[in-house]
């Protein structure tokens, strides 16, 4: 085992960022009160803060398991990369690349969506929304492969933990409506409030777009980028909003729905599809996945345009994903 630098052993960037998170939330609240540039609802914000607190407790409870798995995988690394200076920017970019793909899976595989839906459950979009995180992420077992590729390549688990922490910190600031657009050069490369508002929106044109964590270039490379449109205001939340501020219900509501669907499935195949198919899948297609919602919306818009009727800028879908 190579010598691990002392600062790597003890450094957790997220802990140092927590006071900054609190300060920025307060600043945004004051700014919103003065300008109306962002929307807050006390019960919603409390729920988001409660989810963030629970996520921190979950990280402590499951941290040992995640660390043990990471160190187990590290024994089988292909290269001994160690801790040279260049490992940090390379690991940061690779970690963000991996984040893009696993975030995308979080929207296209219901097993992972049952966990990730927590972050999308608020109908408001402000800095407290960034703190609305799942309590049960380790139970999805995504840690078995999330990061394992980098560990097998030879990146030390502590390096991955640190760069992932900086990735998480970066993602905090763009959960806001107070910032409209960044400079064009920045919008072209980096994830921004405008790009991420699209990701949280339920408008058909915005569904399942902009999965990036830090670098929006991944979405542009892999065909999932959608700019925010001036004539299409974002509607936040999930297709079927849950109508509760109870943190416990927020944490488990989709898990309950998933297992209920599996229990009532008419065949083992249907049960497996409920688990692994995109959110909104059903045997008869009555609910509608994101792709189906988008296709029906596009067909309706195209039909209206072809008939010469005026097309609404913000048509609401009549079918919905879970």
């Amino acid at each position: 085992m190579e010598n691990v630098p002392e600062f790597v052993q003890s450094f957790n960037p997220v802990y140092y960022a927590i006071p900054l998170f609190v300060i920025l939330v307060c600043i945004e609240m004051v700014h919103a009160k003065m300008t109306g540039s962002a929307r807050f609802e006390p019960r919603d914000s409390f729920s988001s803060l409660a989810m963030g607190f629970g996520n921190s407790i979950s990280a402590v409870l499951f941290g040992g398991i995640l660390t043990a798995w990471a160190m187990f995988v590290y024994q089988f690394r292909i290269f001994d990369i160690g801790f040279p200076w260049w490992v940090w920017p390379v690991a940061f970019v690779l970690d963000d690349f991996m984040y893009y793909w696993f975030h995308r899976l979080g929207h296209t595989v219901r097993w992972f969506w049952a966990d990730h839906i927590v972050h999308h459950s608020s109908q408001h979009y402000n800095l407290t929304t960034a703190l609305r995180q799942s309590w049960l992420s380790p139970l999805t077992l995504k840690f078995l492969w999330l990061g394992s590729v980098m560990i097998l390549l030879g990146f030390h688990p502590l390096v991955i933990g640190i760069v992932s922490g900086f990735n998480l910190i970066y993602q905090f600031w763009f959960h806001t409506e107070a910032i409209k657009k960044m400079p064009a050069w920045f919008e072209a490369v980096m994830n921004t409030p405008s790009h991420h508002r699209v990701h949280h929106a339920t408008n058909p044109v915005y569904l399942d777009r902009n999965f990036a964590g830090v670098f929006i270039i991944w979405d542009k490379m892999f065909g999932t980028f959608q700019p925010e449109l001036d004539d299409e205001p974002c509607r936040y939340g999930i297709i079927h909003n849950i109508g509760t501020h109870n943190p416990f219900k927020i944490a488990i509501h989709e898990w309950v729905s998933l297992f209920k669907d599996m229990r009532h499935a008419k065949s083992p195949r249907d049960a497996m599809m409920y688990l692994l198919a995109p959110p909104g899948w059903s045997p008869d297609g009555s609910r509608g996945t994101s792709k189906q919602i988008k296709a029906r919306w596009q067909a309706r818009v195209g039909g209206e345009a072809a008939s010469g009727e005026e097309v609404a800028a913000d048509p609401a879908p009549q079918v919905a994903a879970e």
Side-chain angles (χ1 to χ4, degrees), residues 6 10 16 19 28 34 57 81 87 92 105 118 128 135 152 174 218 221 223 226 245 258 265 284 293-294:
E6 184 175 349
S10 58
Y16 292 95
E28 186 190 31
M34 295 175 61
I57 295 176
I81 294 177
V87 78
F92 185 80
L105 281 177
V118 169
T128 66
W135 296 352
L152 287 172
F174 54 55
W218 308 129
M221 289 173 60
Q226 169 63 51
H245 298 291
L258 169 59
D284 59 1
I293 291 173
K294 292 169 78 77

Side-chain angles (χ1 to χ4, degrees), residues 46-82:
F46 172 80
S47 297
S48 295
L49 294 173
M51 298 310 297
F53 180 70
N55 178 263
S56 298
I57 295 176
S58 174
V60 173
L61 294 177
F62 292 104
I65 297 174
L66 305 185
T67 301
W69 169 254
M71 296 309 299
F72 170 76
V73 174
Y74 190 61
Q75 298 177 83
F76 305 101
R77 62 192 180 277
I78 300 172
F79 305 106
D80 280 311
I81 294 177

Side-chain angles (χ1 to χ4, degrees), residues 38-239:
R39 291 170 292 175
F40 284 86
E41 200 280 320
R43 293 176 300 171
D44 181 82
S45 295
F46 172 80
S47 297
S48 295
L49 294 173
M51 298 310 297
F53 180 70
N55 178 263
S56 298
I57 295 176
S58 174
V60 173
L61 294 177
F62 292 104
I65 297 174
L66 305 185
T67 301
W69 169 254
M71 296 309 299
F72 170 76
V73 174
Y74 190 61
Q75 298 177 83
F76 305 101
R77 62 192 180 277
I78 300 172
F79 305 106
D80 280 311
I81 294 177
F83 301 90
W85 68 268
W86 56 263
V87 78
W88 300 100
V90 171
F92 185 80
V93 173
L94 286 178
D95 176 74
D96 194 57
F97 178 73
M98 297 296 295
Y99 175 87
Y100 166 85
W101 285 106
F102 281 96
H103 189 189
R104 189 167 173 174
L105 281 177
H107 284 257
T108 53
V109 176
R110 192 178 178 193
W111 171 253
F112 297 122
W113 175 243
D115 176 68
H116 186 57
I117 193 174
V118 169
H119 182 59
H120 285 262
S121 60
S122 174
Q123 294 178 254
H124 297 270
Y125 191 76
N126 53 59
L127 291 178
T128 66
T129 306
L131 304 176
R132 183 176 286 231
Q133 300 292 335
S134 169
W135 296 352
L136 304 174
S137 291
L139 300 184
T140 65
L141 303 181
K142 64 183 179 181
F143 68 88
L144 295 179
W145 47 87
L146 179 58
S148 294
V149 173
M150 291 181 63
I151 294 173
L152 287 172
L153 286 174
F155 291 92
H156 195 282
L158 291 176
V159 171
I160 298 173
I162 290 174
V163 297
S164 296
F166 280 113
N167 189 305
L168 181 65
I169 292 170
Y170 180 86
Q171 292 187 47
F172 177 78
W173 75 279
F174 54 55
H175 288 82
T176 185
E177 293 183 299
I179 301 173
K180 301 308 178 185
K181 290 280 188 177
M182 300 297 290
W185 65 268
F186 195 87
E187 294 275 347
V189 179
M190 308 298 291
N191 204 357
T192 66
S194 178
H195 296 328
H196 205 62
R197 283 193 291 268
V198 166
H199 178 70
H200 274 257
T202 60
N203 314 49
V205 68
Y206 293 149
L207 288 176
D208 287 353
R209 290 294 182 262
N210 298 2
F211 298 108
V214 175
F215 301 109
I216 200 65
I217 55 174
W218 308 129
D219 286 286
K220 295 182 177 181
M221 289 173 60
F222 299 109
T224 53
F225 176 68
Q226 169 63 51
E228 185 178 24
L229 305 174
D230 292 336
D231 59 351
E232 186 77 3
C234 293
R235 297 192 306 269
Y236 305 113
I238 53 181
I239 297 298

Side-chain angles (χ1 to χ4, degrees), residues 232-253:
E232 186 77 3
C234 293
R235 297 192 306 269
Y236 305 113
I238 53 181
I239 297 298
H240 287 305
N241 288 304
I242 57 177
T244 181
H245 298 291
N246 185 320
F248 295 96
K249 291 183 178 179
I250 293 171
I252 67 171
H253 80 277

